[in-house]
């Protein structure tokens, strides 16, 4: 569901491709983003965009909606979970991962004061999970590592934005959430951290920078330009967490304590490069989804994962 749009006019020409810099008229690029702290990078693009490149941000509440917007060319580029990307690619949709976006940003949180301290303690409990999300894949693997399956818990379908409130009311005993949700629950005293679920072969892989096969075929130079902007924004954010916190509070309306909890715990890592580590984690992720029958077949990795532009930006 699309909730709002932010129109960002590029303010500086720190990154520019010739076809953009020499254009006579201002060009608009449509970028999809999620309403999460680890999806804040596009809101910093204006600092690093050419003066005549306007970036229109469409905010989604669902990773699947973000992926669908890329596939249908409703947006030119999008940042969303690797799970949504894999679901599309495995079904033959023309989604292509050209860069990384964010690591971590997840948390398994239980109601404060309960005896739920480990993944094993979730047995028989009501656990909020958003189907089709990256978080779902991680918790299924962590359950497997603990000798459990999803049948050992009561899985409750809960959007990320409602998890904290449902935990507070006692509608669920725990949830597998996305920041700033875990940060909000922990900082407010409503919840207690069970774990940050990164002890799998998937590491902390969470969100990717994607586009469509059509976009790559029609304008590869724009893909390179946008990934260059994304790189500089990501590096700036990692070096300036206070500005990230300020922007998150202002744009998302997130409580500052929740944002500072997430950033202070190093539970958000803004990245851009589609390097060997991310490529390996993405393949492990796909294999995990296949084994759990979330996808029927592996995607064509030769088209789904395209490190060409990341490698070009890395050497520019």
């Amino acid at each position: 569901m699309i909730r709002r749009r932010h129109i960002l006019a590029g303010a500086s020409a720190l990154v520019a491709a010739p076809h953009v810099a020499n254009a006579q008229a201002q060009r608009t690029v449509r970028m999809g983003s999620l309403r999460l702290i680890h999806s804040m990078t596009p809101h910093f693009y204006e600092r690093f965009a050419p003066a005549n490149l306007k970036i229109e941000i469409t905010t989604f509440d669902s990773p699947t909606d973000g992926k669908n917007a890329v596939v249908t060319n409703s947006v030119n580029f999008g940042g969303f979970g690797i799970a949504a990307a894999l679901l599309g690619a495995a079904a033959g949709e023309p989604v292509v991962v050209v860069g990384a976006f964010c690591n971590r940003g997840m948390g398994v949180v239980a109601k404060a004061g309960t005896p739920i301290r480990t993944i094993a303690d979730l047995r028989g409990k009501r656990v909020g999970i958003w189907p089709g999300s990256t978080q779902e894949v991680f918790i299924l693997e962590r359950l497997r590592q603990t000798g459990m399956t999803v049948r050992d818990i009561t899985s409750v379908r809960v959007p990320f934005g409602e998890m904290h409130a449902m935990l507070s009311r006692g509608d669920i005993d725990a949830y597998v959430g996305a920041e700033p949700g875990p940060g909000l629950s922990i900082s407010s005293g409503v919840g207690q951290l069970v774990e940050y679920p990164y002890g799998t072969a998937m590491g902390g892989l969470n969100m990717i920078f994607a586009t469509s096969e059509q976009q790559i075929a029609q304008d590869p130079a724009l893909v390179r330009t946008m990934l260059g902007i994304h790189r500089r924004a990501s590096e700036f954010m990692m070096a300036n967490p206070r500005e990230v916190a300020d922007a998150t509070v202002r744009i998302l309306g997130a409580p500052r304590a929740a944002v500072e909890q997430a950033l202070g715990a190093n539970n958000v890592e803004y990245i851009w490069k589609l390097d060997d580590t991310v490529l390996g984690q993405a393949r492990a992720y796909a294999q995990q989804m296949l084994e759990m029958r979330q996808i029927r077949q592996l995607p064509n990795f030769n088209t789904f994962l395209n490190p060409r532009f990341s490698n070009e930006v890395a050497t520019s």
Side-chain angles (χ1 to χ4, degrees), residues 244-260:
V244 176
D246 290 343
T248 304
V249 171
R250 183 179 69 255
I251 295 171
L252 300 187
R256 182 171 293 276
V259 174
E260 291 179 347

Side-chain angles (χ1 to χ4, degrees), residues 181-234:
L184 175 59
S185 294
I186 294 168
S187 65
S188 66
V190 166
Q192 62 192 26
L193 180 67
V194 177
E195 71 169 39
Y196 294 128
Y198 309 134
T200 76
M202 299 173 287
L205 179 63
N206 191 334
M207 295 178 63
I208 46 78
F209 186 97
T211 189
S212 65
E213 293 178 6
Q214 179 180 341
Q215 182 67 61
I216 292 174
Q218 290 181 344
D219 199 344
L222 180 61
V223 178
R224 186 165 49 251
T225 295
M226 284 297 295
L227 191 56
I229 294 170
H230 177 66
R231 171 188 180 176
R232 284 157 178 78
S234 301

Side-chain angles (χ1 to χ4, degrees), residues 20 32 52 59 100 111 123 125 150 164 183 189 193 214 224 231 242 272 279 281 297:
V20 173
N52 56 349
T59 304
K111 188 71 177 292
R123 186 183 298 273
K125 300 298 190 294
V150 71
H164 170 74
L193 180 67
Q214 179 180 341
R224 186 165 49 251
R231 171 188 180 176
R242 183 175 295 276
W272 65 274
L279 291 170
Q281 290 173 342
Q297 61 183 2

Side-chain angles (χ1 to χ4, degrees), residues 255-280:
R256 182 171 293 276
V259 174
E260 291 179 347
Q261 167 69 33
L263 295 175
N266 295 319
N267 197 33
V268 180
E269 180 185 19
Y270 301 103
I271 58 176
W272 65 274
K273 192 174 183 181
L274 192 60
D275 57 18
D276 289 343
T277 297
V278 177
L279 291 170

